[in-house]
Amino acid sequence: MFPPVESLHLIRSDHLPWNQGEGYSESSGLCIKINAFSLPNTSLAFVPGVGIRALINHGTANISTDWEIKSPLFQDTGGADLFLSGVYFTGIVVLAWNDFGHPILKLQNCYAQVSHSDVSFSGELSVLYNSFSEPMEKPILKNLNKMLCPIITSEVEALNANLSMLKALRKIDNYTLLDYSLISSPEITENYVDLNLKGVFYPLENLTDTPFSSVPFVLPEHSDSMIYIGISEYFFKSASYAYFTAGAFNVTLTTKEIFNHLIRNSQGLGSMLSRIAELYILSQPFMVKVLATEPPLVNLLPGNFTLDIPASFVIFTQSKNSTAKTIVSMDFVSLRGQEGSLRIPVLFLQ
């Protein structure tokens, strides 16, 4: 059951089939608005290898119209309220994709019918119109039922136009882009729909493929949640490679930044930097440079993951008009692991 909708425009007056041809103008015609509708019996079912079957039964709608007719022989303005009941629709929405990785929707086997209608008119000649309202209901239903599937098909095509405008390549930050376009048509079975997305990061200024390839994987059979997301190592490796290529892992800290952030720590690295500062800061400034020597490596394991970061750490000084002088230089690999089970339906697959 959907809540009432106030003044929802369904069709523009210039798109109605009876508002075309000789003598038609923008000042002559009608506008249809849906004031309320109810779809109490609605169901969706997967059609394996095809799409999604939609079924609507016993629907109702309250529609209002306003018109203005101007002609040399006759002029009139008014409105009408139309109550429709016994609304029935069935059709299959076919899911596909285009060469740009955008989803495409197609409507097949459309059948729509309205069983009953009740119309009442308002305006200067409403008494005259209402006397003919009952005989008019059958022609209204006949013409409306002819229009329903073409209208629904037109709305699906309009939705496709909006889908084609979606950005499948999105800027994440000043370093990378993420490509999440479809790489194949959605896979539809009796119980679920699989959407295979590319999921690749690229450096912002270099949209070249990664030097490694992705490995197809299949989600385990689960049915406890409505949506499952599978993320492979390739997703993280492409992100690591993109950020590394873009220089995001190269950081140089100046004396001011070191004092503001690191010297406050009296233990560990902060203590060492404080000692070096005492020896060199009075005569010349020093800087710390940390950079990854290779793209960080992510390994996904059942219930666990590891992150290896090969990096270099250099502390150096540099006076004006002189070359840099290295104080401390070291290479290291930072290893991190995380154990435990995931509480959300996101499956990390090796």
Side-chain angles (χ1 to χ4, degrees):
M1 179 78 70
F2 288 87
V5 178
E6 297 183 358
S7 300
L8 174 65
H9 287 263
L10 176 65
I11 315 170
R12 286 174 47 191
S13 60
D14 56 328
H15 286 181
L16 294 171
W18 53 73
N19 287 347
Q20 308 295 330
E22 185 177 357
Y24 168 76
S25 67
E26 289 292 337
S27 60
S28 298
L30 59 86
C31 179
I32 296 179
K33 299 177 183 178
I34 298 179
N35 298 315
F37 63 92
S38 174
L39 306 174
N41 296 332
T42 303
S43 64
L44 300 174
F46 296 124
V47 181
V50 181
I52 301 175
R53 184 188 300 277
L55 175 63
I56 298 174
N57 202 6
H58 303 300
T60 61
N62 193 325
I63 300 174
S64 64
T65 66
D66 296 294
W67 73 80
E68 180 178 7
I69 302 175
K70 294 181 180 180
S71 69
L73 300 179
F74 181 75
Q75 295 186 7
D76 187 32
T77 59
D81 291 318
L82 178 64
F83 178 76
L84 303 175
S85 60
V87 178
Y88 177 86
F89 164 78
T90 182
I92 298 177
V93 180
V94 179
L95 306 179
W97 69 306
N98 60 19
D99 294 337
F100 300 98
H102 295 127
I104 298 176
L105 306 179
K106 298 178 182 179
L107 182 63
Q108 290 184 357
N109 302 334
C110 176
Y111 179 78
Q113 181 179 348
V114 178
S115 300
H116 306 285
S117 67
D118 183 18
V119 60
S120 61
F121 294 91
S122 61
E124 295 182 1
L125 301 178
S126 60
V127 176
L128 175 62
Y129 295 150
N130 285 325
S131 64
F132 295 98
S133 61
E134 186 173 349
M136 293 175 62
E137 291 175 1
K138 288 186 177 179
I140 289 175
L141 284 179
K142 181 179 179 180
N143 286 281
L144 180 61
N145 287 333
K146 289 180 179 179
M147 294 172 56
L148 287 177
C149 276
I151 289 175
I152 297 172
T153 301
S154 176
E155 291 301 316
V156 172
E157 293 174 352
L159 179 58
N160 277 328
N162 291 330
L163 291 175
S164 65
M165 300 297 292
L166 293 177
K167 293 183 178 180
L169 188 66
R170 183 170 296 275
K171 180 180 177 182
I172 301 300
D173 48 34
N174 293 329
Y175 297 101
T176 61
L177 300 166
L178 175 61
D179 186 347
Y180 51 90
S181 58
L182 286 170
I183 60 175
S184 63
S185 290
E187 179 186 350
I188 303 173
T189 70
E190 186 177 353
N191 300 315
Y192 58 82
V193 175
D194 265 355
L195 298 178
N196 296 315
L197 306 180
K198 195 169 185 180
V200 179
F201 286 85
Y202 294 104
L204 189 62
E205 304 297 335
N206 186 13
L207 299 181
T208 57
D209 291 331
T210 58
F212 42 86
S213 59
S214 61
V215 178
F217 64 90
V218 178
L219 289 176
E221 292 293 337
H222 290 278
S223 59
D224 298 332
S225 298
M226 182 176 179
I227 298 177
Y228 287 89
I229 301 175
I231 304 176
S232 69
E233 284 185 351
Y234 180 77
F235 176 84
F236 295 103
K237 287 181 178 179
S238 69
S240 173
Y241 179 80
Y243 279 101
F244 175 79
T245 304
F249 299 139
N250 297 344
V251 179
T252 299
L253 301 176
T254 63
T255 303
K256 182 177 180 181
E257 292 171 327
I258 292 172
F259 272 117
N260 289 339
H261 301 287
L262 299 179
I263 302 304
R264 297 174 183 176
N265 182 8
S266 60
Q267 299 178 353
L269 181 62
S271 177
M272 181 183 67
L273 293 177
S274 298
R275 179 57 180 167
I276 295 174
E278 292 177 359
L279 297 175
Y280 290 93
I281 196 62
L282 297 177
S283 59
Q284 52 190 334
F286 73 95
M287 290 177 285
V288 176
K289 185 174 184 180
V290 181
L291 67 154
T293 56
E294 295 179 15
L297 181 61
V298 178
N299 294 300
L300 301 182
L301 303 169
N304 185 27
F305 75 89
T306 62
L307 175 62
D308 302 346
I309 308 176
S312 177
F313 178 84
V314 181
I315 300 178
F316 61 94
T317 62
Q318 184 173 9
S319 303
K320 294 182 179 180
N321 303 323
S322 65
T323 58
K325 179 181 178 181
T326 301
I327 305 173
V328 177
S329 177
M330 67 179 73
D331 294 332
F332 63 93
V333 176
S334 176
L335 302 177
R336 294 206 56 172
Q338 177 67 44
E339 296 183 355
S341 59
L342 298 174
R343 296 179 178 273
I344 57 176
V346 178
L347 306 178
F348 294 92
L349 304 176
Q350 186 179 10

mmCIF file of all heavy atoms in Angstrom, residues 114-119 132-145:
data_model
loop_
_atom_site.group_PDB
_atom_site.id
_atom_site.type_symbol
_atom_site.label_atom_id
_atom_site.label_comp_id
_atom_site.label_asym_id
_atom_site.label_seq_id
_atom_site.Cartn_x
_atom_site.Cartn_y
_atom_site.Cartn_z
ATOM 1 N N VAL A 114 -7.677 -1.809 -16.629
ATOM 2 C CA VAL A 114 -8.479 -1.225 -15.559
ATOM 3 C C VAL A 114 -9.902 -1.727 -15.739
ATOM 4 O O VAL A 114 -10.481 -1.602 -16.820
ATOM 5 C CB VAL A 114 -8.436 0.315 -15.596
ATOM 6 C CG1 VAL A 114 -9.314 0.892 -14.496
ATOM 7 C CG2 VAL A 114 -7.009 0.812 -15.449
ATOM 8 N N SER A 115 -10.491 -2.291 -14.675
ATOM 9 C CA SER A 115 -11.799 -2.935 -14.793
ATOM 10 C C SER A 115 -12.962 -1.974 -14.630
ATOM 11 O O SER A 115 -13.998 -2.117 -15.294
ATOM 12 C CB SER A 115 -11.924 -4.060 -13.756
ATOM 13 O OG SER A 115 -10.924 -5.039 -13.947
ATOM 14 N N HIS A 116 -12.831 -0.992 -13.741
ATOM 15 C CA HIS A 116 -13.961 -0.114 -13.449
ATOM 16 C C HIS A 116 -13.488 1.336 -13.369
ATOM 17 O O HIS A 116 -12.347 1.617 -12.981
ATOM 18 C CB HIS A 116 -14.630 -0.513 -12.124
ATOM 19 C CG HIS A 116 -15.041 -1.949 -12.051
ATOM 20 N ND1 HIS A 116 -16.138 -2.456 -12.702
ATOM 21 C CD2 HIS A 116 -14.471 -2.997 -11.391
ATOM 22 C CE1 HIS A 116 -16.237 -3.746 -12.468
ATOM 23 N NE2 HIS A 116 -15.250 -4.104 -11.670
ATOM 24 N N SER A 117 -14.416 2.234 -13.713
ATOM 25 C CA SER A 117 -14.126 3.667 -13.616
ATOM 26 C C SER A 117 -15.383 4.404 -13.199
ATOM 27 O O SER A 117 -16.506 3.963 -13.470
ATOM 28 C CB SER A 117 -13.621 4.209 -14.962
ATOM 29 O OG SER A 117 -14.650 4.161 -15.943
ATOM 30 N N ASP A 118 -15.196 5.523 -12.524
ATOM 31 C CA ASP A 118 -16.303 6.372 -12.087
ATOM 32 C C ASP A 118 -15.851 7.809 -12.273
ATOM 33 O O ASP A 118 -14.844 8.239 -11.680
ATOM 34 C CB ASP A 118 -16.652 6.092 -10.626
ATOM 35 C CG ASP A 118 -17.841 6.904 -10.164
ATOM 36 O OD1 ASP A 118 -18.585 7.397 -11.020
ATOM 37 O OD2 ASP A 118 -18.025 7.034 -8.927
ATOM 38 N N VAL A 119 -16.563 8.565 -13.094
ATOM 39 C CA VAL A 119 -16.130 9.913 -13.439
ATOM 40 C C VAL A 119 -17.188 10.917 -13.008
ATOM 41 O O VAL A 119 -18.395 10.657 -13.099
ATOM 42 C CB VAL A 119 -15.852 10.035 -14.958
ATOM 43 C CG1 VAL A 119 -17.091 9.738 -15.783
ATOM 44 C CG2 VAL A 119 -15.294 11.410 -15.299
ATOM 45 N N PHE A 132 -24.067 12.507 -18.778
ATOM 46 C CA PHE A 132 -23.533 11.553 -19.735
ATOM 47 C C PHE A 132 -22.328 10.776 -19.170
ATOM 48 O O PHE A 132 -21.658 10.052 -19.904
ATOM 49 C CB PHE A 132 -23.072 12.274 -21.013
ATOM 50 C CG PHE A 132 -24.177 12.921 -21.783
ATOM 51 C CD1 PHE A 132 -24.427 14.285 -21.641
ATOM 52 C CD2 PHE A 132 -24.990 12.185 -22.624
ATOM 53 C CE1 PHE A 132 -25.445 14.892 -22.349
ATOM 54 C CE2 PHE A 132 -26.014 12.789 -23.340
ATOM 55 C CZ PHE A 132 -26.245 14.152 -23.199
ATOM 56 N N SER A 133 -22.085 10.915 -17.862
ATOM 57 C CA SER A 133 -20.873 10.314 -17.304
ATOM 58 C C SER A 133 -20.897 8.795 -17.361
ATOM 59 O O SER A 133 -19.898 8.153 -17.684
ATOM 60 C CB SER A 133 -20.686 10.774 -15.850
ATOM 61 O OG SER A 133 -21.797 10.362 -15.057
ATOM 62 N N GLU A 134 -22.067 8.190 -17.056
ATOM 63 C CA GLU A 134 -22.119 6.733 -17.058
ATOM 64 C C GLU A 134 -21.881 6.141 -18.440
ATOM 65 O O GLU A 134 -21.098 5.194 -18.581
ATOM 66 C CB GLU A 134 -23.444 6.256 -16.484
ATOM 67 C CG GLU A 134 -23.523 4.740 -16.316
ATOM 68 C CD GLU A 134 -24.775 4.304 -15.589
ATOM 69 O OE1 GLU A 134 -25.469 5.193 -15.031
ATOM 70 O OE2 GLU A 134 -25.069 3.094 -15.574
ATOM 71 N N PRO A 135 -22.505 6.666 -19.510
ATOM 72 C CA PRO A 135 -22.200 6.131 -20.847
ATOM 73 C C PRO A 135 -20.765 6.384 -21.289
ATOM 74 O O PRO A 135 -20.251 5.663 -22.150
ATOM 75 C CB PRO A 135 -23.195 6.874 -21.760
ATOM 76 C CG PRO A 135 -24.287 7.330 -20.862
ATOM 77 C CD PRO A 135 -23.638 7.611 -19.556
ATOM 78 N N MET A 136 -20.106 7.390 -20.679
ATOM 79 C CA MET A 136 -18.740 7.712 -21.077
ATOM 80 C C MET A 136 -17.709 6.777 -20.438
ATOM 81 O O MET A 136 -16.558 6.723 -20.887
ATOM 82 C CB MET A 136 -18.407 9.162 -20.694
ATOM 83 C CG MET A 136 -19.200 10.202 -21.479
ATOM 84 S SD MET A 136 -18.851 11.858 -20.877
ATOM 85 C CE MET A 136 -17.114 12.010 -21.198
ATOM 86 N N GLU A 137 -18.097 6.059 -19.395
ATOM 87 C CA GLU A 137 -17.117 5.261 -18.661
ATOM 88 C C GLU A 137 -16.525 4.134 -19.501
ATOM 89 O O GLU A 137 -15.324 3.866 -19.444
ATOM 90 C CB GLU A 137 -17.762 4.717 -17.381
ATOM 91 C CG GLU A 137 -18.047 5.809 -16.355
ATOM 92 C CD GLU A 137 -18.793 5.291 -15.144
ATOM 93 O OE1 GLU A 137 -19.069 4.066 -15.098
ATOM 94 O OE2 GLU A 137 -19.107 6.095 -14.239
ATOM 95 N N LYS A 138 -17.344 3.464 -20.291
ATOM 96 C CA LYS A 138 -16.820 2.384 -21.126
ATOM 97 C C LYS A 138 -15.831 2.895 -22.180
ATOM 98 O O LYS A 138 -14.748 2.311 -22.345
ATOM 99 C CB LYS A 138 -17.971 1.627 -21.781
ATOM 100 C CG LYS A 138 -18.756 0.753 -20.813
ATOM 101 C CD LYS A 138 -19.805 -0.092 -21.538
ATOM 102 C CE LYS A 138 -20.525 -1.020 -20.563
ATOM 103 N NZ LYS A 138 -21.564 -1.848 -21.243
ATOM 104 N N PRO A 139 -16.142 3.994 -22.912
ATOM 105 C CA PRO A 139 -15.132 4.516 -23.842
ATOM 106 C C PRO A 139 -13.851 4.972 -23.144
ATOM 107 O O PRO A 139 -12.754 4.815 -23.686
ATOM 108 C CB PRO A 139 -15.850 5.697 -24.506
ATOM 109 C CG PRO A 139 -17.304 5.379 -24.372
ATOM 110 C CD PRO A 139 -17.439 4.664 -23.071
ATOM 111 N N ILE A 140 -14.013 5.515 -21.935
ATOM 112 C CA ILE A 140 -12.824 5.932 -21.185
ATOM 113 C C ILE A 140 -11.949 4.727 -20.873
ATOM 114 O O ILE A 140 -10.727 4.747 -21.070
ATOM 115 C CB ILE A 140 -13.232 6.663 -19.894
ATOM 116 C CG1 ILE A 140 -13.822 8.032 -20.212
ATOM 117 C CG2 ILE A 140 -12.020 6.817 -18.968
ATOM 118 C CD1 ILE A 140 -14.353 8.764 -19.004
ATOM 119 N N LEU A 141 -12.578 3.650 -20.384
ATOM 120 C CA LEU A 141 -11.811 2.441 -20.075
ATOM 121 C C LEU A 141 -11.164 1.857 -21.325
ATOM 122 O O LEU A 141 -10.009 1.410 -21.292
ATOM 123 C CB LEU A 141 -12.720 1.400 -19.422
ATOM 124 C CG LEU A 141 -13.096 1.623 -17.960
ATOM 125 C CD1 LEU A 141 -14.026 0.517 -17.477
ATOM 126 C CD2 LEU A 141 -11.850 1.670 -17.083
ATOM 127 N N LYS A 142 -11.895 1.840 -22.413
ATOM 128 C CA LYS A 142 -11.367 1.273 -23.648
ATOM 129 C C LYS A 142 -10.116 2.011 -24.106
ATOM 130 O O LYS A 142 -9.097 1.402 -24.444
ATOM 131 C CB LYS A 142 -12.447 1.300 -24.726
ATOM 132 C CG LYS A 142 -11.997 0.694 -26.054
ATOM 133 C CD LYS A 142 -13.116 0.741 -27.072
ATOM 134 C CE LYS A 142 -12.655 0.149 -28.409
ATOM 135 N NZ LYS A 142 -13.748 0.183 -29.420
ATOM 136 N N ASN A 143 -10.193 3.345 -24.126
ATOM 137 C CA ASN A 143 -9.040 4.136 -24.574
ATOM 138 C C ASN A 143 -7.905 4.100 -23.562
ATOM 139 O O ASN A 143 -6.728 4.058 -23.942
ATOM 140 C CB ASN A 143 -9.476 5.585 -24.822
ATOM 141 C CG ASN A 143 -10.292 5.740 -26.084
ATOM 142 O OD1 ASN A 143 -9.756 5.772 -27.182
ATOM 143 N ND2 ASN A 143 -11.602 5.816 -25.925
ATOM 144 N N LEU A 144 -8.256 4.097 -22.275
ATOM 145 C CA LEU A 144 -7.222 4.073 -21.245
ATOM 146 C C LEU A 144 -6.453 2.757 -21.287
ATOM 147 O O LEU A 144 -5.222 2.743 -21.187
ATOM 148 C CB LEU A 144 -7.856 4.275 -19.872
ATOM 149 C CG LEU A 144 -6.892 4.274 -18.679
ATOM 150 C CD1 LEU A 144 -5.879 5.401 -18.806
ATOM 151 C CD2 LEU A 144 -7.664 4.386 -17.369
ATOM 152 N N ASN A 145 -7.153 1.655 -21.441
ATOM 153 C CA ASN A 145 -6.487 0.355 -21.474
ATOM 154 C C ASN A 145 -5.565 0.225 -22.687
ATOM 155 O O ASN A 145 -4.555 -0.478 -22.625
ATOM 156 C CB ASN A 145 -7.527 -0.773 -21.482
ATOM 157 C CG ASN A 145 -8.194 -0.942 -20.117
ATOM 158 O OD1 ASN A 145 -7.606 -0.629 -19.090
ATOM 159 N ND2 ASN A 145 -9.430 -1.424 -20.124
#
